[in-house]
Amino acid sequence: MTAGLYVHVPFCLTRCGYCDFNAYAGLGHLASRYVDALEAEAGLWADAWRGERFGSVFLGGGTPTTLDADELARLLARLRERFDLEPGAEVTIEANPDTVDEEKLAALREAGYTRLSMGAQSFDQRVLDALERVHGPASVHRAFAAARAAGHTDVNLDLIYGANGETLASWRRTLEETIALRPEHVSAYALTIEPATPLGRKVQAGLVPGPEPDLQADMFDLACELLGEAGYGHYEVSNWAFPGFECRHNLGYWRKQPYLGLGAGAHSYRDGRRWWNVRPPAEYLDVVEHGQRPVGGEERLTPEDERLEDVFLKLRILEGVPVASVDRDVASGFLQQGLLRRRDGHLVPTERGMLLLNELVLALAG
Amino acid sequence: MTETNRLRNFCIVAHIDHGKSTLADRILELTHAVAARDMRDQYLDRMDLERERGITIKAQAVRLTYQLDDTYVLNLIDTPGHVDFTYEVSRSLAACEGAVLLVDAAQGIEAQTLANFHLARDAGLAIIPALNKIDLPQADPEETAREVGELVGWDPKDVLRISAKTGQDVPALLQKVIELVPAPQGRREDPLRALVFDSTFDAYRGVVAYVRVKDGVLPSRAKIHLMAANADSEAEECGVFAPEATPVPELGPGEVGYLVTGMKDVHLAKVGDTVTIAGKHRAREPLPGYREPKPMVWSGLYPAEGGDYTALRDALDKLKLNDAALQYEPETSKALGFGFRCGFLGLLHMDIVKERLEREFGLELIATAPNVEFHVIRGNEVIVVHNPSEMPAPGTYDHVEEPVVLATIVTPSTYLGAVLELCQSRRGELIDITYLSPERAEVHYRLPLAEIIFDFFDQLKSKTRGYASLDYEPVGYERADLVRVDILLHGEPVDAFSSVVHRDKAAQYGRQLVERLRELIPRQLFDVAIQAAIGSRVVARETIKAKRKDVLAKCYGGDITRKRKLLEQQKKGKARLRRVGRVDVPQEAFIAALRVDQRAGQKAGQRTGGKP
Ligand SMILES: Nc1nc2c(ncn2[C@@H]2O[C@H](COP(=O)(O)OP(=O)(O)OP(=O)(O)O)[C@@H](O)[C@H]2O)c(=O)[nH]1
Ligand code: SF4
Ligand SMILES: [Mg+2]
């Protein structure tokens, strides 16, 4: 079992209205100090993680591509020195369309980044406006073309559906335009309103309607249909990929393989223990610069926690749970309602079941 | 121990918020009963609930010493003003020889001023009227003094004008109390008779009775006999509230205090009972007790967690000691399991009881929509119905009767039209209108209790800009055209949702309840039909469409803990739902009917109000 390495870069050009990630606009001046700190933090963990083989690296954020290509190249090189990266490891970097051009993307490829994950979100300007994204559909096309020109052969596009004003027809166009580009991987998320965000506050104040769950359900169905027809395999509730292009790093999370997170607010997991770094970048810098591990909290999973997570994650990635582990009446009810199906001695959610996954998890985890 | 001729027992009565508890504060200060640093506003409102809501719920007795020409001992009882707690007032009156009738000089006489005045006069008490809040710029002492003088038969010039807030002329009021309230009558030599006017349950000491000694002497440790309960006990201590509980060697004739009865059985020490000495010194005749108050509304109380039934029964037994007006009988609901049908004096009382049970006994409760008591007449038989779901099927009885009250409404004359209109729309029958002054009318109406118990008061306030006040007393039962409205969930009737309403309003009521339930019941994994039916006739129907989406969009490394916690929360939320048949129903749904009632009433009021 290989491990994953996550690196968090908390900088963004602007804040998107719906985002509740540990991300900040206007902290660009901290960037080079932050890269130094990441490298220092890697040093603080290197011994403890010696002997662990890493099958994937994921630079997420925030927007890692706000750092320059040189910094990103140097960072990856340092990580290779500190940790045992498998040859052929998957190395993903998240990119915002407005922060990349062909030259930078080529440099990243050169530096060893093998996979590109781009936040497209929608090809409808009104939807992008409703999400308070700064880029337009044109920059996605431009950035995607640049990625291909720079030689990237494993590209993901992130989409979000169900923003205020988005119709099923508009979502269909976004899906069609996405498919026309033929990225190797597509993540399509139902917009979730988080209370502690600008959008969340507007929804709470009644200024903007929240997403309509039935419409989002229709949108999910449409994504299943169109992406399926185009040859994408549906391998997690919100993720589709051409065969062989499933994201190894994310699968690691879902299969409960160990992972080490570096950077502000990054989470780690190993041997039934989960811990996380302090969230504010300034605090993170301060602690690391004093030569300390920046751990802000931890939890040890109880057997009940493990069971709940297991069922939850196994259902999400359609591996399902063994038939024998579930109360018969509960299972047969869901089988009859068409929310679960049987596959190789396992109970696996159907497409309708995926939309009601919380119900399934709570019932099956007992 | 105190010579009775220097003893004065009096209470303060008034309309709600006219300043009784604030006046008690000033009296506590004048008598140096509370150290300045311990003083706080409405000192005698001791319960958290009273302080939070700014109203008195329980009457409170305190014993004070006042130095004038001589040293006097005052037993003061602060009473509540809200109509739901009138029973507290009448019990307090029986422990006193006098009453201060306080009237807010900015408001004038209100409905409970009248009601409490009549109670005090009928109890034979000396009444000392006083105008309060004369510090307020909008106070109108001249006019209020005229109204009050007329009511109690005093020359308006003699009516005291005080400010409980500033303390102005409170000493003069105390002087009047000492002059005009007669000293108690009892003789030390007579056999002991002490009236139990309130009680509480103390976890360590058992039943503590609040008593007023009428005749004889109650020693601190005595073998006592409770006459109505016909039970003996070894009393452990007696004492006075000064204002904290303070043991004394004895309570002499006329004195007010507490008695640690030594009894652990809460059923024995009933309010209204007479305490005497066990054995040959027993009194022959008990004191006249209290009339048991008749509950005005009934509602089902159920433990939110099924298993707490015995805890709830225990809590009710104990609370009943401290709230003599509370009544309860066990009942079973298909939807809610084992619980109690409880009788209350009004919605505020119901709310307070539920809160006290939850706070003081750590319970979590579901209350069903309240209703009045119905009498179903079948030949010579009268079937008393406290729970709408027990109403016999139509056609199996002759007719139904509902409780009727005599309502007194005091209103500025300018709003008289609006008040009459409101009462008419509530099936009211006008008795008469009299005038306290050309500007203020006193209206008497006969009204079905069911029409006024829920939202009538709010309506009255909003139609009179808050100026009208209301009091009512039951006057019996009258025949009415009432029907039972049932609610079916996914085809199954839910007993806890049944209610009895007037035929003319039944269909509209059913529609609104169904609508409200549709908003409150979460979507399930299948379509759920909600129907309202009168007998077998469905009058309203709504469908809750099956839920299609309930999934967390994203879950990556950093999220797993958070997402697990979200799921755990969702699981807890589910545990709070009640499974009724196949449908999960939230607890709020069970009291939804109450709010529907209010809205149905409002609309009906507007509609009828529009007619010329
Ligand atoms: N200005 C002014 N306000 C007063 C006076 N007396 C009482 N108040 C205010 O009137 C309000 C009600 O006073 P309480 O003493 O709680 O009235 P209450 O009669 O005990 O009320 P209930 O027990 O709920 O019936 C409070 O806000 C007091 O501060 C007064 O003489 N002058
Ligand atoms: S770019 Fe991504 S991380 Fe940055 S604010 Fe927008 S959604 Fe959040
Ligand atoms: Mg009070």
Side-chain angles (χ1 to χ4, degrees):
Chain A
M1 189 166 55
T2 57
L5 182 61
Y6 177 77
V7 181
H8 190 77
V9 180
F11 310 120
C12 287
L13 295 180
T14 57
R15 279 288 297 218
C16 307
Y18 58 90
C19 172
D20 76 332
F21 300 133
N22 190 26
Y24 307 82
L27 286 189
H29 59 283
L30 293 178
S32 63
R33 244 179 96 192
Y34 188 84
V35 177
D36 290 344
L38 285 175
E39 291 172 7
E41 195 197 354
L44 295 170
W45 293 106
D47 282 344
W49 286 70
R50 206 174 302 287
E52 202 81 63
R53 198 117 218 258
F54 287 84
S56 63
V57 180
F58 197 106
L59 261 79
T63 310
T65 47
T66 51
L67 302 177
D68 7 297
D70 288 351
E71 282 170 320
L72 289 166
R74 190 188 77 196
L75 177 62
L76 184 55
R78 290 288 143 78
L79 294 175
R80 283 188 198 282
E81 286 166 17
R82 297 290 187 188
F83 301 103
D84 176 12
L85 245 64
E86 205 173 68
E90 173 193 274
V91 184
T92 305
I93 183 164
E94 285 183 337
N96 186 301
D98 281 343
T99 55
V100 288
D101 54 20
E102 186 183 332
E103 189 190 345
K104 184 165 185 175
L105 290 169
L108 291 177
R109 184 145 181 82
E110 181 67 22
Y113 290 91
T114 65
R115 186 171 180 273
L116 203 58
S117 176
M118 246 196 284
Q121 318 314 0
S122 171
F123 286 99
D124 183 334
Q125 184 63 53
R126 280 167 313 171
V127 174
L128 292 171
D129 290 344
L131 292 170
E132 300 178 23
R133 296 280 295 189
V134 281
H135 63 81
S139 13
V140 180
H141 282 290
R142 193 190 47 71
F144 191 84
R148 289 298 195 220
H152 283 279
T153 53
D154 187 356
V155 181
N156 166 58
L157 289 185
D158 271 350
L159 303 176
I160 293 181
Y161 57 89
N164 178 30
E166 187 174 28
T167 60
L168 198 57
S170 151
W171 172 237
R172 178 184 284 276
R173 282 192 300 277
T174 288
L175 284 166
E176 284 167 353
E177 282 198 48
T178 304
I179 291 167
L181 293 173
R182 301 204 72 69
E184 285 67 29
H185 191 287
V186 178
S187 301
Y189 303 109
L191 174 64
T192 307
I193 301 297
E194 300 290 349
T197 59
L199 191 56
R201 281 184 286 273
K202 283 184 198 163
V203 170
Q204 267 167 347
L207 302 173
V208 173
E212 222 277 277
D214 286 3
L215 178 60
Q216 283 187 319
D218 288 340
M219 291 175 162
F220 175 82
D221 289 348
L222 188 62
C224 293
E225 181 191 326
L226 298 187
L227 292 168
E229 283 168 5
Y232 291 93
H234 193 177
Y235 75 100
E236 195 261 1
V237 171
S238 305
N239 287 281
W240 287 259
F242 286 148
F245 286 93
E246 295 82 9
C247 176
R248 194 168 159 189
H249 185 81
N250 287 335
L251 277 171
Y253 292 143
W254 300 325
R255 296 197 168 124
K256 300 194 98 173
Q257 292 170 3
Y259 53 89
L260 172 64
L262 305 177
H267 283 231
S268 306
Y269 172 75
R270 198 185 193 185
D271 298 333
R273 193 171 82 93
R274 200 171 280 127
W275 68 93
W276 44 89
N277 285 351
V278 295
R279 246 172 101 92
E283 191 182 345
Y284 169 80
L285 289 175
D286 191 50
V287 180
V288 175
E289 284 166 2
H290 283 85
Q292 309 269 305
R293 288 181 182 172
V295 176
E298 67 157 354
E299 68 170 349
R300 197 166 271 290
L301 299 182
T302 65
E304 298 85 72
D305 295 343
E306 292 271 14
R307 163 101 183 132
L308 185 63
E309 287 188 4
D310 250 33
V311 173
F312 171 57
L313 296 171
K314 292 271 167 50
L315 290 182
R316 278 192 84 92
I317 54 173
L318 311 184
E319 277 182 13
V321 293
V323 176
S325 72
V326 175
D327 181 87
R328 243 179 126 126
D329 293 341
V330 174
S332 79
F334 289 130
L335 286 165
Q336 256 167 35
Q337 290 172 50
L339 300 180
L340 287 177
R341 64 196 165 91
R342 239 184 252 271
R343 198 186 64 199
D344 308 333
H346 282 67
L347 295 168
V348 181
T350 59
E351 263 172 25
R352 272 184 52 222
M354 274 188 247
L355 271 175
L356 291 167
L357 205 87
N358 289 4
E359 289 279 345
L360 293 177
V361 171
L362 293 179
L364 299 191
Chain B
M1 51 188 262
T2 310
E3 284 171 45
T4 47
N5 62 8
R6 283 187 289 108
L7 201 57
R8 298 291 182 276
N9 298 326
F10 71 104
C11 52
I12 310 175
V13 298
H15 189 73
I16 190 163
D17 269 353
H18 279 201
K20 298 174 289 293
S21 303
T22 307
L23 173 59
D25 288 347
R26 296 297 85 75
I27 297 177
L28 290 176
E29 282 169 2
L30 277 175
T31 56
H32 311 290
V34 180
R37 65 169 188 292
D38 296 329
M39 195 59 204
R40 52 178 188 178
D41 285 349
Q42 287 92 37
Y43 186 89
L44 295 181
D45 287 345
R46 288 163 193 245
M47 263 194 274
D48 288 346
L49 264 176
E50 292 178 310
R51 306 201 66 79
E52 283 162 25
R53 300 188 184 212
I55 55 165
T56 303
I57 293 166
K58 286 293 298 174
Q60 283 287 339
V62 274
R63 175 201 168 96
L64 312 160
T65 13
Y66 191 45
Q67 197 65 45
L68 215 55
D69 51 327
D70 202 340
T71 306
Y72 290 90
V73 169
L74 311 176
N75 282 305
L76 157 68
I77 304 182
D78 177 25
T79 67
H82 192 279
V83 57
D84 281 14
F85 307 120
T86 302
Y87 188 55
E88 291 281 318
V89 181
S90 32
R91 292 203 324 278
S92 306
L93 294 171
C96 297
E97 281 75 36
V100 170
L101 178 68
L102 206 58
V103 182
D104 184 332
Q107 308 275 333
I109 287 179
E110 302 274 16
Q112 271 84 47
T113 315
L114 296 170
N116 289 331
F117 164 68
H118 290 129
L119 281 176
R121 194 191 49 191
D122 295 350
L125 267 54
I127 294 166
I128 301 162
L131 309 187
N132 187 29
K133 307 198 188 181
I134 55 154
D135 59 295
L136 287 177
Q138 68 271 35
D140 186 353
E142 290 316 310
E143 174 53 25
T144 313
R146 202 194 53 68
E147 282 178 21
V148 173
E150 190 155 317
L151 178 69
V152 302
W154 277 40
D155 185 333
K157 286 199 305 296
D158 297 336
V159 176
L160 279 171
R161 290 136 208 239
I162 68 161
S163 166
K165 187 167 182 178
T166 65
Q168 182 187 339
D169 280 329
V170 176
L173 176 62
L174 275 187
Q175 170 100 46
K176 269 238 158 67
V177 166
I178 287 165
E179 266 170 39
L180 298 181
V181 176
Q185 292 287 314
R187 303 185 323 151
R188 285 187 74 89
E189 310 75 61
D190 287 344
L192 170 70
R193 291 200 300 172
L195 179 68
V196 178
F197 66 90
D198 203 349
S199 54
T200 63
F201 187 85
D202 181 288
Y204 303 103
R205 316 182 81 182
V207 176
V208 180
Y210 297 175
V211 295
R212 150 76 201 251
V213 177
K214 292 277 185 187
D215 309 308
V217 176
L218 173 58
S220 181
R221 285 177 161 275
K223 246 179 145 13
I224 54 163
H225 177 75
L226 276 161
M227 299 183 76
N230 193 20
D232 288 352
S233 179
E234 297 273 351
E236 287 169 10
E237 177 183 310
C238 64
V240 294
F241 297 100
E244 307 316 320
T246 312
V248 294
E250 61 166 46
L251 288 173
E255 291 199 284
V256 176
Y258 67 88
L259 170 69
V260 180
T261 60
M263 296 198 265
K264 302 290 179 216
D265 182 351
V266 295
H267 299 281
L268 289 179
K270 278 240 174 74
V271 160
D273 206 341
T274 301
V275 182
T276 186
I277 300 290
K280 63 179 191 305
H281 296 297
R282 259 168 78 160
R284 299 271 150 262
E285 285 290 315
L287 296 162
Y290 298 111
R291 213 161 16 109
E292 283 255 320
K294 291 282 285 172
M296 297 277 182
V297 284
W298 294 84
S299 152
L301 281 186
Y302 290 83
E305 314 288 340
D308 281 351
Y309 172 78
T310 35
L312 175 57
R313 191 187 54 206
D314 254 32
L316 282 166
D317 284 349
K318 285 178 183 153
L319 187 64
K320 162 92 181 168
L321 269 186
N322 198 232
D323 186 348
L326 171 65
Q327 305 210 1
Y328 50 97
E329 53 206 36
E331 76 170 4
T332 321
S333 153
K334 263 202 286 186
L336 296 172
F338 292 108
F340 290 88
R341 178 82 4 190
C342 302
F344 307 98
L345 296 179
L347 292 193
L348 177 62
H349 185 217
M350 167 171 162
D351 200 38
I352 297 288
V353 166
K354 178 165 180 268
E355 283 251 6
R356 288 188 70 185
L357 287 169
E358 294 189 323
R359 289 186 190 204
E360 295 171 27
F361 300 91
L363 301 169
E364 214 187 309
L365 301 174
I366 300 178
T368 65
N371 55 270
V372 301
E373 172 178 316
F374 301 102
H375 291 173
V376 177
I377 311 298
R378 181 190 282 153
N380 294 331
E381 191 191 4
V382 180
I383 306 162
V384 176
V385 174
H386 290 158
N387 178 343
S389 72
E390 285 164 6
M391 187 79 170
T396 64
Y397 54 82
D398 300 327
H399 66 268
V400 184
E401 294 180 351
E402 65 174 339
V404 175
V405 297
L406 178 62
T408 303
I409 298 167
V410 175
T411 177
S413 312
T414 33
Y415 299 115
L416 189 57
V419 169
L420 298 183
E421 217 170 66
L422 176 64
C423 293
Q424 278 323 115
S425 76
R426 299 304 179 93
R427 303 190 276 135
E429 184 195 320
L430 179 66
I431 309 283
D432 62 17
I433 304 174
T434 55
Y435 286 86
L436 293 161
S437 71
E439 289 80 40
R440 286 165 33 90
E442 181 184 337
V443 186
H444 295 117
Y445 250 96
R446 262 174 97 83
L447 282 155
L449 177 62
E451 293 286 344
I452 65 162
I453 203 89
F454 302 110
D455 68 321
F456 182 81
F457 187 59
D458 292 342
Q459 285 290 302
L460 184 67
K461 285 277 178 196
S462 82
K463 287 190 192 306
T464 61
R465 297 179 171 239
Y467 282 114
S469 59
L470 165 74
D471 189 79
Y472 51 84
E473 53 178 329
V475 289
Y477 277 72
E478 257 176 31
R479 182 171 174 158
D481 192 6
L482 301 171
V483 292
R484 190 176 90 200
V485 180
D486 291 321
I487 297 293
L488 289 82
L489 214 52
H490 208 56
E492 277 185 53
V494 181
D495 54 6
F497 288 144
S498 292
S499 39
V500 173
V501 273
H502 193 266
R503 188 182 298 280
D504 294 348
K505 293 175 180 171
Q508 189 194 3
Y509 170 84
R511 273 195 300 279
Q512 285 177 339
L513 181 50
V514 159
E515 170 72 23
R516 185 99 183 99
L517 289 173
R518 188 180 57 87
E519 289 162 13
L520 284 172
I521 297 175
R523 296 168 72 176
Q524 321 264 319
L525 291 178
F526 45 89
D527 286 357
V528 175
I530 313 174
Q531 294 163 294
I534 300 170
S536 56
R537 189 166 58 93
V538 172
V539 294
R541 185 195 159 98
E542 292 274 350
T543 305
I544 304 172
K545 297 297 281 174
K547 155 159 95 171
R548 290 181 57 202
K549 175 174 172 288
D550 181 3
V551 56
L552 301 164
K554 244 187 204 194
C555 178
Y556 293 123
D559 292 331
I560 298 179
T561 302
R562 213 179 104 203
K563 297 291 149 78
R564 191 188 70 237
K565 293 202 165 134
L566 285 176
L567 282 168
E568 280 164 357
Q569 256 174 8
Q570 190 170 351
K571 188 171 175 177
K572 279 205 197 109
K574 268 189 182 298
R576 295 178 51 85
L577 297 174
R578 282 278 173 155
R579 179 59 60 98
V580 178
R582 284 180 64 209
V583 184
D584 289 327
V585 181
Q587 301 180 4
E588 309 88 73
F590 294 99
I591 47 167
L594 164 61
R595 308 222 170 82
V596 170
D597 228 317
Q598 299 181 354
R599 289 193 300 187
Q602 265 172 36
K603 296 219 173 113
Q606 281 155 9
R607 207 186 43 212
T608 330
K611 282 185 199 158

